[in-house]
Amino acid sequence: MFSTMRSPEAAPRCVPTFEGTAPSHCCLPPSPPPPPTARMFSSVVFTLLALFVASRVMNYFKYRKQTAYLPAMHCLVSPISALGASLPTRWWNPGHQWQWKWRLTVYRDLGAETIAAVPFLFGVPVIYTSSLEVAKQIVTTKTTAFHKSRDTTEITLIWGPNIFAANGDEWKKHKRVISPAFSQETYASVWENTARVVDEMAAAEGWAGRAAVDIPVVNTLTYKAALILISTCGFGNALSWRTETAPGAAVSFADALATVASGILVRLLVPRWAYKLPIKKLQEVETAYTSLGPFMRDLIARRRREMEADGAAARDDILSLMIKASHEEKYNMSDAELMGNTFLLLSAGHDTSARTLDAALMLLALHPEIQEDVHREVTEIMPTDDDFTFANSARLVKTRSVFLEASRLFPAGFMLIRDAAEDTVLRGAGRGGADVPVPRGTRVVVDMVGLHHNPALYPDPEAFVPARWHAAHENELTMFSFGARTCPGRRFALTEGTCFLARLLRRWRVAPLTLPGEDVEAWRARVYQGRMLFNFGVGEVPVRFEARG
Ligand code: HEM
């Protein structure tokens, strides 16, 4: 009845040694060696790992040579890769915020205006420059040495080919079609409509008769104003301050565009199937992307019908010019190009201006003395509504300079990315002014944040000094890029920005909207933060508008 067998629990335990064999005193027989398949598996893994490490080391030296041994930021992942951009900015990973976070240190510490980012693990090396001379060589259209490659313009190509992504003859075609829309008549219309929109905004938001208005996120106002203006003056499609929603659409045009712009990184990184998951942010991005296409198609179709029906063919806004070109042989624009340019110009034409206005309002809130100066200028040059004219606007030098200085500190177009299309040379980009050979295929970037904080170009670069721009010639407005590929919307944005500030500041004083117990310095530390999305700018800016007596 009683078993003489010992239960397994009573058996002496074997403690495996570091090598994995049984100790010598163990009563059990030594464990058998791992089966051949397991041994094979571990040696395959080890060999692969060794090969990977060797390939990375070889790549590293190849990349150093490719970037001409320029002073380098060594990193695990290239900042211009989906992975690198999605990881936070740390000493081991520049991420997509390094241009802002390290704007005052990286070039200084490396002792050069042109540097390289050399990744160990993933991605390709990148040459960055904060030198104006080198930047001009990179973006010039005089040679074909540098071009925009598809992978860096992909995010703008979702709806079709466009001027921003194009190179060579294709770019010239887009430019020829679009350029006539940027005329004095357009700028006059931008001026009148901006003044109207500021007045409409104050009325619709119920500011009349109030001593102060708190705006927790001023960006909501600037985005809306800028979208109305590009839609009205650029596309001949008048939008009202009370947002229009197309019948059956899930979101408004403005919301769809804003979500598309802010969700671009998400869209690049997240696979298509994931949008079916119950994740709010992904669903918002998906809704915005699916709504924007029909919005734009509807805009184009309506204009086509109007142009066929009556004399609207005489209109020369961007959309009408592109539709006219779609019927011509010489500079024919396909339906895909029409959609691509519509998206590009709507986005580039409003997000950039809005982000610059956010920065301008934040900086004015921090600098009451400059604000008073601007107010004086506006009231002297434009004492009444009748004087508030486009013709008089050229004299608002101080007001325009505030917009320009905000754009210098927060340049909306923060990277000009090009690839070397052939073996070439960057003159004077190396140590001691040496030429830097750039092999075909090398990626080079004009770091617009670094360039606009370069103390050799802008002494005391962190200081807000609008007077830097008082006497500036149009060619010196570096925040809009340089040469033939300068931003075509430059004067559009300047007219809009100057008018918006002048119209608002003559009635209202802008001040920081602080949290309970927060002083202006703490407000500055909280709010003065660069944020890179589709474009670059400040994050959310909370302000108070105080009525002037
Ligand atoms: C403060 C406002 C703005 C800033 C700072 C700005 C800046 C820039 C920069 C730096 C570029 C060159 C990008 C590159 O080469 O990679 C650019 C290109 C462009 N911008 Fe602007 N922009 C502004 C407003 C506007 C507006 C209002 C419009 C349209 C109405 C516009 C339309 C464009 C277009 C179509 C391009 C592509 C031009 C080409 O590739 O030839 N921008 N902008």
Side-chain angles (χ1 to χ4, degrees), residues 208-407:
R210 290 171 62 182
V213 188
D214 288 354
I215 313 285
V217 184
V218 81
N219 321 52
T220 52
L221 301 181
T222 54
Y223 265 79
K224 198 162 168 176
L227 179 67
I228 291 172
L229 290 164
I230 185 65
S231 179
T232 307
C233 309
F235 284 75
N237 178 53
L239 285 182
S240 81
W241 187 258
R242 300 187 193 283
T243 313
E244 287 173 2
T245 306
V251 287
S252 75
F253 189 32
D255 290 345
L257 252 186
T259 312
V260 162
S262 65
I264 263 178
L265 199 59
V266 174
R267 193 73 178 187
L268 275 180
L269 298 177
V270 178
R272 295 294 302 132
W273 57 263
Y275 289 89
K276 295 203 169 64
L277 299 173
I279 301 172
K280 195 165 168 255
K281 175 72 187 168
L282 291 186
Q283 287 174 351
E284 277 171 13
V285 171
E286 180 66 4
T287 310
Y289 272 79
T290 44
S291 308
L292 199 56
F295 269 130
M296 293 192 298
R297 262 187 287 279
D298 179 56
L299 187 65
I300 295 168
R302 266 193 289 133
R303 178 58 49 78
R304 269 219 165 98
R305 284 197 298 275
E306 284 166 21
M307 289 171 72
E308 279 160 12
D310 58 43
R315 282 152 68 158
D316 55 5
D317 58 80
I318 300 165
L319 185 56
S320 303
L321 290 172
M322 289 195 298
I323 292 175
K324 262 185 248 171
S326 71
H327 299 298
E328 279 169 14
E329 233 166 65
K330 199 169 176 200
Y331 301 124
N332 182 276
M333 240 186 212
S334 67
D335 283 356
E337 287 172 325
L338 254 171
M339 280 288 278
N341 276 321
T342 299
F343 169 69
L344 190 275
L345 279 138
L346 278 173
S347 316
H350 95 287
D351 193 47
T352 44
S353 302
R355 303 208 85 190
T356 311
L357 277 172
D358 297 339
L361 290 169
M362 174 191 68
L363 290 157
L364 287 169
L366 287 168
H367 294 273
E369 71 296 350
I370 294 177
Q371 198 179 152
E372 289 314 305
D373 216 15
V374 168
H375 179 252
R376 248 190 316 277
E377 176 182 79
V378 177
T379 47
E380 270 168 32
I381 295 173
M382 301 177 168
T384 68
D385 275 0
D386 288 344
D387 303 305
F388 204 91
T389 61
F390 178 58
N392 274 342
S393 69
R395 293 164 59 208
L396 292 180
V397 174
K398 290 180 178 170
T399 318
R400 187 171 45 251
S401 298
V402 164
F403 189 77
L404 285 168
E405 181 69 345
S407 188

Side-chain angles (χ1 to χ4, degrees), residues 139 141 148 153 162-166 171 174-175 178 182 230 234-235 318 341 344-357 403 407 410-418 448 452 478-482 484-494 496 535:
V139 297
T141 47
K148 295 192 178 187
T153 53
N162 59 66
I163 181 173
F164 177 86
W171 170 76
H174 290 283
K175 180 90 176 163
I178 288 168
F182 294 94
I230 185 65
F235 284 75
I318 300 165
N341 276 321
L344 190 275
L345 279 138
L346 278 173
S347 316
H350 95 287
D351 193 47
T352 44
S353 302
R355 303 208 85 190
T356 311
L357 277 172
F403 189 77
S407 188
F410 293 87
F414 62 104
M415 276 199 284
L416 312 182
I417 311 177
R418 304 289 191 270
M448 295 288 267
H452 289 100
T478 44
M479 56 290 275
F480 294 102
S481 187
F482 339 91
R485 282 200 90 149
T486 302
C487 172
R490 181 177 55 185
R491 287 200 204 161
F492 189 114
L494 277 176
E496 178 184 14
N535 293 304

Side-chain angles (χ1 to χ4, degrees), residues 129-150:
T129 192
S130 61
S131 147
L132 186 56
E133 285 316 308
V134 177
K136 284 180 177 167
Q137 296 172 47
I138 294 168
V139 297
T140 180
T141 47
K142 286 195 189 122
T143 74
T144 51
F146 295 100
H147 68 168
K148 295 192 178 187
S149 70
R150 178 150 183 128

